[in-house]
Amino acid sequence: MLSVAWHTLRTRWAAFTGSFVALALGVALVAVMGQALAASLNAPTRAPERFAAAPVVVRGQDVLRVATPAGERTAELERPRPVPAGTVAALRALGPVTEDRSFPVRTSRADGAPAAPGNLVGHPWSTARFAPYRLTAGRAPEAADEVVVSGGWTTVGARLPTADGPLRVVGTVRGLGFENAVFYADARAARLAPDVVQLAVEADAAAVRAAVADDGVRVLTGGSRRLADADPGRDAEALTALNALFGTAGGVTAFVSVFVVASTFAFAVDRRRREFGLLRVAGATPGQVRRTVLAEALVVGVLASATGCALGAYGAPLLGDLVVDGGLAPGWYAIGGPGAGVWPYQLAFWTGLSVALGGALAASWRAGRTAPAQALREAAVDGRALTWGRRAGGAALLLTAGATLAYALATDPGDLLHRKTYVVRPMLLITAVALLAPTLVRPLLPRLPGVVGLLARAHAVAGIRRSAAVAAPVLVTVALAGSLLGATATLDRARSGEARQQTAADFVVTPRDGTTLPPRDVERLRRVPGTLVSATSATSVHTLEDGVALVKSEARAADPRLLARTARLPVTSGELADLDDDSIVVTEEWARHRVGQRVPVWLADGTARTLRIVAVLAVGTGDNGAYVTPANAGGAGVDRVAVRVRPGADRAAVAARLRAVEGVRVTDGAQWARAGRPQPARTTLLGLLLVLGIALVYTGISLANTLVMAAAERGPALRALRLAGGTSAQILRLAATETLTVVAAGALLGLLVTTVNLAGMSAALRLLSAPPALVVPWTAIACTTGACALLALTASLTTTATALRLTPSARGRRPRGRPVSG
């Protein structure tokens, strides 16, 4: 069988080129994604930065620990607790103790002032030696208005206007790359940031541990001192986003490659009916025919998988450089190399081989059922458009897609809004429609005017399997583009509408640097005449669900009386005005969400409380969170101020007074709803574009391969058109019309799948009491359809023009036989 398969591949290499290229590309992508995932499984241990030279760092409680029947559950606290005063006193008896403080430095606009970076962070000068920072010019700060800055953006003697008053730069230090530091005199830093969350102790580590009471305080030595740096988990968070990006791309690659390879083998087998019929006439059994097809797939699979692994080894480092240059990964991230391991290549190779054999399995079964009489067939018209296997498989997948959608809407509509769900769910419906494509394409083929239009439709209907093979990859690409980009656009519009509905304020004030507003600025905003001001803080609460799962929920802290007048929250039960220091407002997705119930919670600083539920909010798009009073904010600072203009007050004057406060951004309610709504993560958008790029490449491969395989059997039709007097231009126009008609049918099927998927998401939004939205990305669909049409048209015209050069015209054809003499 292998020898027969090898000779078949040598003589019919053009028919298998598309399968080979598609499979090799798929294996290469799987190999690259596997190496990318291997490189992103674990972040390297980052060395300590700010306290690299400190012997011991003592840090206040920053981990919540809750005992459950299934063991201890832990969660990182949003705001660590200050080191207890008693612990600080005990540590001072062991050796020198240096208190650390960190706070944002807000620069003001002033003529002649140096252009400062936007992320300045302040520290006491006494902590600079632990990084270590060394003076490159000037001296240490002594007075309250003196500072030392890192980096080369300013010089000694410069004036630095800030929201806390003007500062004089009396010294500079070389920047170390991980922060833009501003060092104050210790006394001034203590006034700006009174709480001491961590401190450096110059004493023996064992003595420090003995002196620290068991109150959650952590003693950091060696490499663990990196946990005292700002955002020590940033590398792990970046790798999590990369895992999602590469995992999605790898999954779609596998799906599309299986689809293309399976459809290619199925179409190739269907075009070889006469060949298999001749084998049956020569005495071949059905099993031998099936083994021949599988042997062909085995040879193609081995060669393509090996080629794909080689391509993957070459392309992996390029992808690593691309994501680093694009800011999606840390600078140390790299893909490939000697330590990458061989498992990604093994996974890619065996996946490719399995895809080849699996894609050919159904085709081989059909090939084995070919009757010897097929050798006598001359007609190119397809018989039954849809086999019972495709009919049953398509119907089963269609019912499964409908049933799972209905179940999700009935039990957990919020799951339909998650990225993993709206990326994976369309594939089920796409596969179902693709299996039923031979039946669905026929009624979508329009009756075009003119002889060319009539012939184009007749050719497409006569070769309905070929038409379905062309329409199917278009369906996949258009449906993926519409479903994925439409899902993000639908969620974006729903969130925007939700924000507009819930905002009753005339103005929203936020800090320009994205941190929190100082208390004095909040007081200045409250003193603006003719306003009602509601200051809120972003915080979080932890709950224990089912007695074993420690769940973090986003929350906001606000004065309930002011909140009710500046916001329109979607309350489903209870009263928002009943919120006090002993209660909480929750959403319907909480395990306990009945008014009057008491729920144990842990605040953002780890404080344990038992609060009474006074109101319940609708889930919405998932951005609605819990509400508590400022007493339960866990030390969170004000990050948003909603301002409502009182009746009779001058709106323009109020806006001017609000903008006069330094360091704030003032927007009206509508602008804030548009600009402040959550946006899809950059990695999510790039992941979707990567998925669509992969789908479009596979579409081009599938279209070219299908049209090349179909060119040979169209020779008799072209000869007939030539004999009927058709010119080359007319035949090319006929081929173009037929191709574009079939592409349009595939695009319509893709649009149908997109509409169904987005309709399910819109129904979920309605059930969640969110503003229903259904956004079809017409631009993306039009561009995708145009790209598919261009690829198909290029392949069709190229193969038709090649065939025309080999087909004699009616004028050039000489009659056979003897000439008749007069």
Side-chain angles (χ1 to χ4, degrees), residues 395-424:
L397 289 176
L398 200 60
L399 290 175
T400 302
T404 53
L405 177 60
Y407 180 78
L409 291 174
T411 58
D412 186 13
D415 182 63
L416 296 176
L417 308 184
H418 296 161
R419 181 183 57 83
K420 290 183 179 179
T421 301
Y422 67 68
V423 168
V424 175

Side-chain angles (χ1 to χ4, degrees), residues 181-431:
V182 178
F183 293 100
Y184 290 73
D186 287 16
R188 178 69 183 277
R191 289 196 299 271
L192 294 175
D195 292 335
V196 179
V197 174
Q198 57 193 19
L199 42 86
V201 183
E202 298 176 68
D204 180 68
V208 172
R209 289 191 178 92
V212 171
D214 187 15
D215 53 5
V217 175
R218 303 177 67 183
V219 178
L220 307 177
T221 60
S224 64
R225 291 169 299 173
R226 71 183 183 279
L227 300 178
D229 296 327
D231 196 13
R234 58 186 180 274
D235 290 340
E237 293 172 0
L239 294 187
T240 299
L242 286 177
N243 276 329
L245 169 65
F246 296 137
T248 301
V252 173
T253 298
F255 166 75
V256 180
S257 61
V258 169
F259 181 89
V260 170
V261 172
S263 62
T264 300
F265 271 104
F267 185 70
V269 167
D270 183 70
R271 298 302 95 181
R272 294 165 63 189
R273 291 189 301 266
R274 295 190 63 211
E275 176 185 333
F276 293 137
L278 288 172
L279 290 176
R280 294 297 312 281
V281 169
T285 64
Q288 289 175 322
V289 174
R290 294 188 186 103
R291 287 194 294 274
T292 299
V293 174
L294 289 176
E296 293 169 357
L298 177 64
V299 175
V300 172
V302 170
L303 296 177
S305 297
T307 304
C309 287
L311 292 175
Y314 175 77
L318 300 178
L319 179 62
D321 295 339
L322 184 64
V323 296
V324 171
D325 294 340
L328 300 179
W332 51 262
Y333 183 75
I335 303 177
V342 297
W343 69 263
Y345 298 103
Q346 293 179 348
L347 174 66
F349 181 87
W350 295 111
T351 298
L353 192 57
S354 300
V355 166
L357 294 176
L361 186 61
S364 68
W365 178 260
R366 186 176 180 187
R369 296 180 58 197
T370 304
Q374 292 289 339
L376 304 178
R377 290 192 59 178
E378 291 288 348
V381 179
D382 289 333
R384 185 173 54 176
L386 200 63
T387 62
W388 68 267
R390 291 188 65 164
R391 193 187 306 274
L397 289 176
L398 200 60
L399 290 175
T400 302
T404 53
L405 177 60
Y407 180 78
L409 291 174
T411 58
D412 186 13
D415 182 63
L416 296 176
L417 308 184
H418 296 161
R419 181 183 57 83
K420 290 183 179 179
T421 301
Y422 67 68
V423 168
V424 175
R425 183 173 290 277
M427 298 180 188
L428 192 63
L429 191 57
I430 289 172
T431 306

Side-chain angles (χ1 to χ4, degrees), residues 29-115:
L29 289 172
V30 171
V32 170
M33 299 306 166
Q35 293 179 82
L37 290 174
S40 61
L41 290 178
N42 296 299
T45 302
R46 186 182 287 269
E49 295 172 336
R50 286 197 57 224
F51 294 94
V56 181
V57 177
V58 175
R59 183 172 172 84
Q61 181 182 357
D62 58 0
V63 175
L64 174 64
R65 302 181 185 276
V66 179
T68 71
E72 186 180 62
R73 296 292 183 263
T74 62
E76 184 178 351
L77 291 176
E78 190 170 331
R79 270 169 285 279
R81 293 184 177 182
V83 180
T87 301
V88 176
L91 293 174
R92 290 191 186 279
L94 301 178
V97 173
T98 304
E99 297 178 343
D100 178 50
R101 294 175 170 86
S102 297
F103 48 91
V105 178
R106 299 176 177 85
T107 57
S108 303
R109 295 182 296 270
D111 294 337

Side-chain angles (χ1 to χ4, degrees), residues 771-789:
L774 196 157
V775 182
V776 179
W778 294 111
T779 302
I781 288 178
C783 292
T784 305
T785 304
C788 292

